[in-house]
Amino acid sequence: MIDLNIIWFLLVGILIIGYAILDGFDLGVGILHFFAKNDNEKRVNLNAVGPVWDGNEVWLLTGGGAIFAAFPVVYATVFSGYYLALVLLLFGLIARAVSFEFRKHSHDDQMKKIWDMAFVFGSFLPALLYGVAFGNILHGIPIGENAQYYGNFFTLLNPFSVLVGLVGLFMFIMHGAVYMTLKSGGDQQVKMFNWAKNSYFIFLILYILATIYAFIGSNYLFANSFSNPLFYILTLVLVASIIYIPIGLKAKKAGLTFIASSVMIGTMILLSALSLFPRLAPSSINLEKYSLTIYNASSSQNTLMVMLIMALIGVPIVLGYTIYVYRVFKGKVVLNDDGY
């Protein structure tokens, strides 16, 4: 018999991976926008992500919708605990969204600077908050009886979660810089290669520290991993992609490096999912008793089946649209009056 709960666990993971890879470089480019030296570099940044960022956001919407439909208890509990963080996240996403068009139609240099900072702020804040939120999932959330959340905004700012937030931040910066090596040329491309190299090493150090911290403070994540062959396969893929990134950057192979960066991000999320399974929201109060899993927090089997049919129709459409858009806008950015 098909286990719909496991299928939806995998589907939610795929949607999260898609969002992290695609919107991840958007966020990284937005953060790097702060260091652009002139208007030409800024316009290259904006035109590199302008045609695709809104399509990338679809993966966030479908991921959130999938959690709401398949695991409503998780959606209600976790999102209520993250309420203030979500408000800040939405504020950042809105600031980033409006910055593109408002900057394009601004003729005053001062206003352009304001919208440039909106683009930077609207990228930095989500990049950091996503990692902090994910760190809390790995660390455990104060969930008690009847899926009640016990905590506040500052509960989320524990050392491990902040460390994971920094891991995510520099991972997105590196990913965005690698993407910009594909989209820019000349001096700007050289700068992006340098940014990718520097942020890679910071990311790697932070990731190693976070892994050690998790092994010591959240060792339940590794309880069943070492007996699972899939853990070793994913670890091997992760290590290979991590090793290749500096090699690809040194050889100026931007395309292969971007693929390696994408594989690394996807594999990191898959390893985290494997470590959590079957939990979706581990409880820091009582791991065994109060954790929300794919079984005790899911919708009915009929709902999961109906939603799966809809997903099998909708996800290929999203994939097709995404592939088409990236094919249309592939190659280096060429600035013209119609751009941002």
Side-chain angles (χ1 to χ4, degrees), residues 25 35 60 93 114 117 120 165 170 192 218 261 273 283 289 301:
F25 70 71
F35 303 97
L60 176 63
L93 292 175
I114 291 175
M117 290 310 299
V120 173
F170 281 96
M192 291 301 108
S218 302
S261 179
S283 171
K289 189 176 181 180
Q301 292 297 296

Side-chain angles (χ1 to χ4, degrees), residues 11-280:
L11 184 57
V12 169
I14 290 171
L15 293 172
I16 292 174
I17 289 172
Y19 177 72
I21 292 174
L22 296 177
D23 205 44
F25 70 71
D26 285 353
L27 298 173
V29 173
I31 297 168
L32 291 169
H33 192 71
F34 179 79
F35 303 97
K37 296 299 183 182
N38 52 59
D39 189 65
N40 188 72
E41 288 189 3
K42 291 177 181 179
R43 290 194 63 206
V44 170
N45 290 337
L46 291 166
N47 283 277
V49 300
V52 297
W53 75 267
D54 49 353
N56 296 340
E57 291 288 334
V58 171
W59 293 86
L60 176 63
L61 297 176
T62 52
I67 295 173
F68 174 78
F71 306 107
V73 179
V74 174
Y75 185 94
T77 301
V78 174
F79 279 53
S80 64
Y82 287 4
Y83 192 77
L84 181 56
L86 284 172
V87 171
L88 292 173
L89 173 64
L90 289 174
F91 182 72
L93 292 175
I94 292 171
R96 182 176 63 146
V98 300
S99 66
F100 287 93
E101 297 299 332
F102 280 33
R103 187 191 191 279
K104 176 182 177 180
H105 295 288
S106 295
H107 300 289
D108 181 72
D109 289 341
Q110 190 61 38
M111 288 304 300
K112 285 186 177 182
K113 290 180 180 179
I114 291 175
W115 295 119
D116 282 331
M117 290 310 299
F119 181 41
V120 173
F121 173 79
S123 301
F124 172 83
L125 192 59
L128 181 63
L129 289 176
Y130 287 141
V132 172
F134 194 62
N136 274 280
I137 295 293
L138 295 175
H139 183 261
I141 303 171
I143 301 173
E145 192 174 3
N146 298 320
Q148 181 68 39
Y149 177 84
Y150 295 92
N152 53 50
F153 176 75
F154 295 101
T155 306
L156 305 177
L157 301 179
N158 57 79
F160 176 74
S161 298
V162 172
L163 178 58
V164 175
L166 294 174
V167 171
L169 178 67
F170 281 96
M171 178 182 74
F172 288 143
I173 292 174
M174 179 203 70
H175 195 50
V178 173
Y179 176 75
M180 286 306 299
T181 63
L182 288 167
K183 306 300 289 184
S184 61
D187 292 340
Q188 187 171 3
Q189 186 185 47
V190 174
K191 292 178 184 177
M192 291 301 108
F193 271 114
N194 291 332
W195 268 108
K197 293 173 185 176
N198 295 333
S199 54
Y200 165 82
F201 287 110
I202 297 174
F203 153 76
L204 184 60
I205 293 171
L206 291 172
Y207 182 64
I208 292 172
L209 291 175
T211 303
I212 295 172
Y213 199 137
F215 189 80
I216 297 172
S218 302
N219 55 10
Y220 72 88
L221 294 170
F222 300 89
N224 300 316
S225 298
F226 295 121
S227 60
N228 191 332
L230 187 58
F231 171 80
Y232 295 99
I233 295 173
L234 291 174
T235 300
L236 182 62
V237 175
L238 175 62
V239 172
S241 60
I242 289 176
I243 290 175
Y244 180 79
I245 289 173
I247 296 174
L249 290 172
K250 185 176 181 180
K252 307 295 184 183
K253 295 182 178 180
L256 290 176
T257 306
F258 183 76
I259 292 174
S261 179
S262 300
V263 170
M264 181 195 73
I265 293 172
T267 310
M268 287 172 60
I269 295 174
L270 286 174
L271 277 170
S272 299
L274 183 67
S275 300
L276 287 169
F277 183 83
R279 303 179 185 93
L280 290 167

Side-chain angles (χ1 to χ4, degrees), residues 112 236 306 310 333 337:
K112 285 186 177 182
L236 182 62
V306 171
M310 295 177 65
V333 170
D337 294 337

